[in-house]
Structures are given as structure tokens and as C-alpha cells.
Amino acid sequence: MISDLAENLGHLCGGENIPYEVSADVENLRECLDAVYENSAQLAGQLPQLHVRYVTTGDQVSDMVHRKARSAEKLLDGLNRFETADVACVNWRELRELYKQATSTVRVTVPVPKQFAVPAAPGVEQSFVGLVAASELVRTVLDDGSGKLRENLFESNVRAFQGYNPVNSGIRDTLRDPEKRRRFAVMNNGITVVTRKMDRVGDDFVLDDFQIVNGCQTCHVLFHERDQLTEHVFVSVHIVHSVDEDVIQGIVAATNQQTPVSDEDLAARQDFHKELEDFFTLGRDKPHQLFYERRAKQFSDRKDVEKTRVISRAQLSRAYLAMFLDEPSGVGRFQDLIKARGSELYVTGQLPILYYTAAATWYRLEWLIRNQRINRGYRPTRFHLMALIRQRLLGSVQIPANVRAATRECDKILKVIWNAEAAEKLVVHELLPAIQRAIDAERESGVPLGEAVRNERFAERARRELAGSTGR
């Protein structure tokens, strides 16, 4: 508990001996602290700062725990050993963000010899527009030091690299033309960089914890064509220093209005979509990993990603609707689906485990069809099969809103889905007979399969057939 943590820290960080046995690591830390305080004259007039993070895997932190955190701060302040003592409670979402910042933060120094400051604006610490030598941009910013592109710089960009479509092919052709490449800065919109930390030393800009929020396509082509970048090739760069998340998200949206960007692409920057992207992969062994395509084509160049494990937003939306919103017959044209049920999808507070379970079920059904374990003629019924999988394994139970309880229910599905033999047995021997009887009944009424799967009558008939065959 947090009270015990504070008490133990008091013993560890105080000047007295620790009154109980501790591990070698704790002893080593105490010796380090003693060495710091023995040389306090080197601390430039300030005591050390203490930052403590109490982590829970839950969704929320109770008011009681927050109050205990404040009490812990008072206890640690009373030691008079720290300039400040900061005790914060972190839930799993905040832990995810802290992990990403710790593992993906990049610090670079980029020379911008030609630049001017943009007038001050609310929420913006500093802002500059300038020209950067394209070769310097590649060397200092885009290259990770091992000859690979820093893909993590584009996480906040609305779209991943779209390949050599007509626009990107045009950028490449410009760089390959000895005359046109000298006009690159005036022919290209350039890039926008948002950084949470920035220092300026003369013409050098030191950027820390930054993202390229616009110009993903340009950067990829520049990196691919880096051998063509002579001293006459420049790129226009807009550098914005801000720590205001609302400002940052506003910049992402505004800078992407210059080219056609769909509402779906803009939605890709929302926190819930980023949360899903991480939830599908982080902490999972490889056989259970899936990849949520938050940004169009973001995995197209990833050789380490099995493409059959990539699920698009359109596919995930249909899968979730079929399994957890009981809508297997209404998952036709995606844009119509979003207009009709979009407000029920990707809502803050919804449980990522449900989306992951729907995605895993989608993957397994596609696997069964692709490997001819199921006749391809049943492909139009796959969303109905997803609804029946939930019905067969969970019955009519309402999925709990509590994370742990919902995870227990979803695990009943995932245990079968991630076992190829068990999944095949369930689908082929229990579900397909019910589906086939529903198909036969519709055909007797003169309704072809392609039309039948789009009406609720077929869905209800399949549910009844399964319930009758299983005694549910």
C-alpha cells in the first residue's frame, strides 16, 4: 500500500539506520544517497528532488489513495532531505504513456541557419519557420544512427507513408532532377515539428520529445532518396514548442487540411485509437499479437509484421459491432455503418479487451477460411459466425463494465480462439450447421445468401438454430 511505501522511503531516505534487513539493491541505493548528502556542497544550493510513482493496473485511482499520496508527501517533506517531494498515483493508461515517452523520446540537434521567429501565441512557448538543408535533416533527425528511418517520429502524424502514389512519385522525381531539386523548398509544403522541449544555441535547435506531425510523406521520400540530396536541396520547416496537448492536437488537425484527409484518418490521432494500437501488441507473446492499423498503410513497410495479423479500422469496427453490439447483419458499407453506429464505437471508457477479442475472432475466422478449414462459400456469413461464437461461449450474459470481470469473460472466448484446433471444432461442428439451416430456410424463400446475411431475420434465425441445437 502507498502508506507502507511512504514509510519505507522514510527509512531509506532518512539519516538514521534502516531498522530492518533489506536487499542488496536497497543497500546500494542507500549508499548512493549517503554519498550524495556527504557531498552536499556540490548540489549548487539545492537539495535533490524526490519523485515517487505509485502504480495501479486499474482504470481509476480512488480519492482515498490520492489523499494517502498527499500524506506521504508530508511525511517525506518532514525529512528535510529534499527540495520537493512529489508522490503521484498512476493508472494503467498513464503508465502506458510514461512507458512510450521513456522508450521513444528522441533528442537531436538540427542546424537551421535561415529562420525567423513566429509571433507569440497562446499555448505556444516558441515557434520558428526556417530552411534546413535536406541532407542535414536526414542525418540529424530522420536517420536513427544505424541507417534506418526513425518511424516513431511519425506516431502523431495522421497518415503513415502511403507508398509511391502519384504525389510521392512526384516528390521523388523532383529530387532526381538536377534542376528541379534546387527548387525543392518552394515546390514542397515542408514539414511541421512539434516539440515538448527545445533549446536554441545560435542557429542550432536542440529538440527533445518531438514529433513530425505533418510531412510524413516528404520525410520518407527524402530518406529514400538521400543519395540525391546535394547542398542545394533545402526543406522548409515549421518548429513549434508547446506542452499544451490541446494545442498540439489542434496543430495536427490544422496542418492536415492542406491535402484531402478523411474524418476516419483524423480520428486516428485520438487517444483511444492509440490505446488500442498498444493494447493489441504490448506485453503479448508473438502468437497472440495483432496489429491495429490506426493509420492507413502504417505496417505496409514492416517486414516483421505478418500482414494477416493486421486489422484495419473498418474491419475492427465491423467485428466489434457483430460480437458485442449484436449487429452482424448491419455491417455493410463502412461509411454508412459509421453514420448509423459510429457514436457507439471507440468511446473513451470502453474496454480495449473487447476490441482485442473481436479482432482475434476476426483473425481466426479468416485463418480458417484462408487455410480451407471452412468452405470459402461461408465467407459472407463470418460476422454472423462471430455473433454465434459469443452466444455459444458466453450465452446471453451482459459483458461487465469492470475490467477484471470483462477480461474473465473475454478469456473464455480467447482460450478457444487462440487454439486453432478448438476453434475449428467449434465453428465447423457446432456453428456452421446452425448457419447452414438458416441459409437453407432463406433459400427456400427465394433469398440469395448475399442478401440474406444483410437482414436481421437471418441473424435471428441463426441464433435460434444454435440455441435449439445446444439446448440454450
Side-chain angles (χ1 to χ4, degrees):
M1 294 295 293
I2 195 167
S3 301
D4 296 331
L5 174 63
E7 183 179 354
N8 290 333
L9 284 171
H11 292 309
L12 173 65
C13 300
E16 305 297 327
N17 291 329
I18 299 176
Y20 42 78
E21 290 188 7
V22 295
S23 67
D25 288 339
V26 173
E27 285 184 355
N28 184 51
L29 178 56
R30 176 58 184 266
E31 291 173 1
C32 290
L33 288 170
D34 289 342
V36 168
Y37 287 108
E38 286 171 5
N39 293 274
S40 56
Q42 306 295 319
L43 297 178
Q46 279 197 336
L47 291 172
Q49 296 180 1
L50 176 64
H51 300 279
V52 181
R53 295 296 178 264
Y54 180 79
V55 178
T56 172
T57 56
D59 248 350
Q60 295 180 331
V61 179
S62 69
D63 290 338
M64 180 180 292
V65 173
H66 282 300
R67 288 196 296 271
K68 288 184 177 181
R70 302 291 76 76
S71 297
E73 286 179 343
K74 290 180 181 178
L75 186 154
L76 295 168
D77 275 335
L79 298 174
N80 297 318
R81 303 268 280 181
F82 303 103
E83 195 70 28
T84 59
D86 163 37
V87 180
C89 304
V90 177
N91 65 24
W92 73 270
R93 284 189 174 86
E94 294 164 330
L95 180 63
R96 174 179 62 89
E97 289 303 316
L98 290 172
Y99 173 81
K100 288 183 69 175
Q101 289 178 18
T103 56
S104 64
T105 296
V106 176
R107 181 182 175 89
V108 303
T109 300
V110 55
V112 190
K114 304 179 191 305
Q115 96 291 126
F116 67 88
V118 176
V124 176
E125 305 290 329
Q126 304 174 78
S127 181
F128 293 85
V129 173
L131 288 179
V132 178
S135 57
E136 283 295 312
L137 178 71
V138 170
R139 184 182 67 82
T140 61
V141 177
L142 302 182
D143 194 311
D144 69 357
S146 66
K148 296 181 180 179
L149 181 64
R150 285 188 171 118
E151 291 285 356
N152 62 313
L153 294 181
F154 308 100
E155 287 296 316
S156 293
N157 203 276
V158 166
R159 292 180 297 197
F161 182 55
Q162 300 295 290
Y164 283 96
N165 56 26
V167 173
N168 291 338
S169 295
I171 297 174
R172 179 177 59 187
D173 292 343
T174 296
L175 292 172
R176 291 180 176 180
D177 187 299
E179 290 298 319
K180 288 183 179 178
R181 71 168 68 122
R182 298 168 69 99
R183 300 192 291 270
F184 188 80
V186 296
M187 296 175 67
N188 184 273
N189 289 332
I191 69 174
T192 300
V193 177
V194 175
T195 180
R196 290 176 173 81
K197 299 177 184 177
M198 184 177 78
D199 293 312
R200 185 184 175 195
V201 182
D203 289 336
D204 288 344
F205 285 74
V206 182
L207 310 179
D208 196 352
D209 191 7
F210 69 96
Q211 284 278 299
I212 296 174
V213 301
N214 184 252
C216 173
Q217 312 304 311
T218 294
C219 288
H220 277 74
V221 179
L222 286 171
F223 188 81
H224 295 161
E225 299 298 316
R226 53 193 179 278
D227 291 341
Q228 308 289 340
L229 304 181
T230 68
E231 61 181 1
H232 302 295
V233 183
F234 289 87
V235 184
S236 61
V237 178
H238 186 189
I239 301 174
V240 181
H241 175 201
S242 177
V243 294
D244 188 319
E245 290 301 321
D246 289 337
V247 170
I248 293 171
Q249 295 303 328
I251 293 169
V252 173
T255 54
N256 281 281
Q257 296 306 312
Q258 300 166 11
T259 54
V261 179
S262 68
D263 291 340
E264 177 186 347
D265 283 332
L266 285 174
R269 63 186 170 86
Q270 295 170 359
D271 288 342
F272 191 80
H273 290 281
K274 295 177 182 178
E275 185 178 313
L276 285 181
E277 183 182 354
D278 292 340
F279 189 88
F280 277 31
T281 54
L282 293 181
R284 302 189 187 281
D285 54 13
K286 194 169 183 179
H288 298 154
Q289 281 188 340
L290 297 169
F291 299 87
Y292 173 46
E293 192 178 53
R294 177 172 62 86
R295 299 176 297 145
K297 298 185 180 181
Q298 71 183 93
F299 298 109
S300 59
D301 291 333
R302 288 274 301 272
K303 305 299 183 186
D304 60 321
V305 173
E306 184 183 336
K307 298 306 181 282
T308 58
R309 289 180 176 266
V310 175
I311 184 165
S312 69
R313 185 185 175 205
Q315 291 165 340
L316 181 59
S317 299
R318 293 183 173 102
Y320 180 81
L321 280 164
M323 285 201 79
F324 296 110
L325 294 184
D326 202 24
E327 189 68 271
S329 58
V331 293
R333 188 170 176 272
F334 182 57
Q335 293 304 326
D336 293 338
L337 181 154
I338 291 299
K339 288 178 182 178
R341 304 295 295 270
S343 61
E344 301 170 70
L345 296 169
Y346 312 110
V347 179
T348 300
Q350 287 183 332
L351 303 179
I353 185 63
L354 300 182
Y355 286 89
Y356 174 77
T357 302
T361 307
W362 162 272
Y363 167 79
R364 179 56 68 199
L365 287 174
E366 288 292 315
W367 184 90
L368 290 170
I369 295 170
R370 188 170 61 253
N371 289 279
Q372 300 181 9
R373 303 294 206 280
I374 298 176
N375 189 295
R376 292 178 182 273
Y378 285 111
R379 181 182 288 276
T381 71
R382 60 194 184 281
F383 293 110
H384 293 274
L385 284 169
M386 295 183 74
L388 295 187
I389 286 172
R390 180 199 164 164
Q391 178 183 338
R392 177 66 183 84
L393 298 178
L394 302 186
S396 58
V397 64
Q398 184 74 23
I399 301 295
N402 176 273
V403 175
R404 291 184 180 179
T407 300
R408 283 196 298 270
E409 292 299 313
C410 288
D411 281 346
K412 296 175 184 177
I413 296 176
L414 294 171
K415 182 180 179 180
V416 174
I417 289 302
W418 286 126
N419 182 322
E421 184 178 347
E424 180 178 353
K425 181 179 178 182
L426 170 65
V427 174
V428 173
H429 297 295
E430 297 189 46
L431 306 186
L432 283 184
I435 286 286
Q436 186 59 55
R437 288 192 292 272
I439 292 173
D440 293 342
E442 291 292 316
R443 281 178 177 165
E444 288 180 8
S445 301
V447 182
L449 179 60
E451 181 181 337
V453 295
R454 294 196 295 271
N455 67 65
E456 176 58 26
R457 185 180 62 249
F458 180 87
E460 181 56 35
R461 191 187 297 273
R463 284 190 286 264
R464 288 200 310 268
E465 291 290 349
L466 178 63
S469 65
T470 59
R472 286 178 174 265

